[in-house]
């Protein structure tokens, strides 16, 4: 049995709190260290693979790699070149270039499920994780199990240091009600910073037609916030393309999509959308907030 399958078939109880196994070979003593420890050590800065020199800067408690002008130019060239490539070809390029320092973050939306189905064929050992805020729908967590059964890929759960109970007790109640930007920062962005320290590149499922803020998403770009190369293999897919692939291949998806939720995040900040509404209209509805901060 391939190593990939062994990796993917570990019980979730064992995987949930462990650091990624796909860490850079140059990072010393990775085994047994937590992601946070690696982040604080700044070890990831040793593994830049792009052309030209890379450097690292510190943002708060996390070390964030920075890109050289040569790397930025090279990434822009690659992005232009990959505009006409298929999503599979883009992922293949990312794997060849960055694996095992290549990861994927997914909220288990339809796009993420499609990318997982592709990774299962291209390189199932890619470390795939979910930012588990503690506020996810039970249906989302159940989908994770179905993905594992179908593809042998266990989507790891990366959690904030404080449980929901601890976090709300510390803040006098649910922060999503009073300051959703801070809640998203504490329960998503901060966690992604912690994970990012172990990788050079990440894949996301964002599409240009999802919203005006995503309309100019390049296939490949430098993500300065997290110090990673950001790859969006479905950037030029439409919503219809995604659902056609899901139906054609029987890819598991969240049953809430059949109940009026085209875009699903945390349950306190997601509502079903009405006829003719934008597909992300149900996210942070009634506020000016449109993004959690991972992609802005
Ligand atoms: Fe908090 Fe809502 Fe952001 Fe989830 S989506 S982290 S509940 S503010």
């Amino acid at each position: 049995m391939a190593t990939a399958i062994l990796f993917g078939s570990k019980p979730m109880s064992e995987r949930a709190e462990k650091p990624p196994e796909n860490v850079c070979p140059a990072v010393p003593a990775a085994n047994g260290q937590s992601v946070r420890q690696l982040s604080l050590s700044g070890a990831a800065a040793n593994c830049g693979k792009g052309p030209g020199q890379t450097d690292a800067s510190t943002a708060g408690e996390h070390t964030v790699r920075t890109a050289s002008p040569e790397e930025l130019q090279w990434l822009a060239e690659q992005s232009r070149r990959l505009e006409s490539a298929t999503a599979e070809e883009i992922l293949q390029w990312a794997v060849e270039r960055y694996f095992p320092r290549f990861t994927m973050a997914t909220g288990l939306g339809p796009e993420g499920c499609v990318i997982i189905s592709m990774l299962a064929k291209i390189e199932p050992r890619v470390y795939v994780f979910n930012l588990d805020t503690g506020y996810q729908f039970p249906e989302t967590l159940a989908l994770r199990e179905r993905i594992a059964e179908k593809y042998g890929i266990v989507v790891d759960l990366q959690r904030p240091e404080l449980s929901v109970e601890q976090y709300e007790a510390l803040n006098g109640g649910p922060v999503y009600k009073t300051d959703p930007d801070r809640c998203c920062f504490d329960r998503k962005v901060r966690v992604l910073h912690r994970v990012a320290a172990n990788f050079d590149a990440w894949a996301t499922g964002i599409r240009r037609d999802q919203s005006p803020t995503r309309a100019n998403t390049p296939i490949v770009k430098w993500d300065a916030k997290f110090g990673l190369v950001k790859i969006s293999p479905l950037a030029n897919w439409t919503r219809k393309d995604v659902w056609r692939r899901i139906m054609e291949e029987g890819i598991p998806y969240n049953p809430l999509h059949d109940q009026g939720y085209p875009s699903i995040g945390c349950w306190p900040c997601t509502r079903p959308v009405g006829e003719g509404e934008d597909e992300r209209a149900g996210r942070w509805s009634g506020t000016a907030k449109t993004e959690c901060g991972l992609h802005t």
Side-chain angles (χ1 to χ4, degrees):
M1 184 180 290
T3 310
I5 302 300
L6 287 171
F7 173 77
S9 61
K10 284 183 179 177
M12 287 176 211
S13 56
E14 285 180 33
R15 290 283 305 133
E17 295 298 332
K18 289 189 176 179
E21 294 185 17
N22 295 330
V23 293
C24 175
V27 176
N31 289 343
Q33 276 192 292
S34 71
V35 177
R36 179 177 171 78
Q37 284 171 310
L38 286 173
S39 170
L40 291 171
S41 74
N46 296 327
C47 297
K49 286 184 182 173
Q53 292 298 306
T54 57
D55 202 351
S57 64
T58 302
E61 64 194 287
H62 302 287
T63 300
V64 178
R65 194 168 68 93
T66 56
S68 66
E70 292 82 6
E71 183 171 11
L72 294 176
Q73 187 186 343
W74 183 81
L75 291 173
E77 287 166 9
Q78 297 307 306
S79 190
R80 278 193 293 277
R81 190 179 64 77
L82 290 166
E83 272 295 331
S84 55
T86 65
E88 288 89 342
E89 287 168 343
I90 295 167
L91 283 171
Q92 182 73 47
W93 171 85
V95 165
E96 285 171 9
R97 182 79 200 174
Y98 296 107
F99 180 77
R101 303 269 309 167
F102 173 54
T103 186
M104 178 201 170
T106 177
L108 293 162
E111 295 80 12
C113 295
V114 167
I115 294 175
I116 289 171
S117 76
M118 294 173 178
L119 287 176
K121 294 176 195 155
I122 296 169
E123 180 48 87
R125 292 173 299 170
V126 169
Y127 177 73
V128 182
F129 68 98
N130 165 270
L131 297 170
D132 186 17
T133 61
Y135 294 111
Q136 295 194 97
F137 286 95
E139 288 88 344
T140 304
L141 297 172
L143 173 58
R144 174 178 171 260
E145 311 250 358
R146 290 163 53 214
I147 292 276
E149 280 165 23
K150 181 154 177 116
Y151 299 112
I153 292 178
V154 177
V155 177
D156 201 10
L157 295 177
Q158 286 286 347
R159 300 185 172 111
E161 289 181 8
L162 297 183
S163 69
V164 164
E165 293 73 22
Q166 291 168 327
Y167 186 61
E168 293 188 358
L170 191 71
N171 290 284
V175 181
Y176 59 78
K177 285 185 179 171
T178 55
D179 190 348
D181 282 342
R182 185 159 76 82
C183 185
C184 278
F185 182 81
D186 290 341
R187 305 201 72 78
K188 291 185 181 178
V189 176
R190 197 186 286 273
V191 180
L192 182 52
H193 269 295
R194 188 181 71 196
V195 179
N198 286 315
F199 296 95
D200 289 335
W202 70 308
T204 81
I206 61 180
R207 291 184 283 111
R208 290 173 185 151
D209 74 341
Q210 278 174 316
S211 68
T213 55
R214 298 183 176 190
N216 297 316
T217 301
I219 303 287
V220 181
K221 66 171 273 196
W222 177 251
D223 184 340
K225 179 183 262 186
F226 297 105
L228 297 171
V229 174
K230 183 173 183 177
I231 297 149
S232 301
L234 304 184
N236 55 22
W237 280 41
T238 63
R239 185 179 169 197
K240 209 168 163 183
D241 292 333
V242 172
W243 282 101
R244 186 186 301 120
R245 179 64 66 92
I246 286 173
M247 293 304 153
E248 281 173 359
E249 296 198 0
I251 297 170
Y253 65 91
N254 195 322
L256 291 174
H257 293 306
D258 295 330
Q259 298 167 37
Y261 294 82
S263 175
I264 300 168
C266 298
W267 62 261
C269 304
T270 307
R271 66 157 173 82
V273 304
E275 194 69 31
E277 277 191 302
D278 182 270
E279 68 177 282
R280 286 179 62 83
R283 306 289 297 276
W284 304 282
S285 179
T287 75
K289 185 173 169 66
T290 57
E291 294 279 352
C292 57
L294 299 178
H295 302 300
T296 52

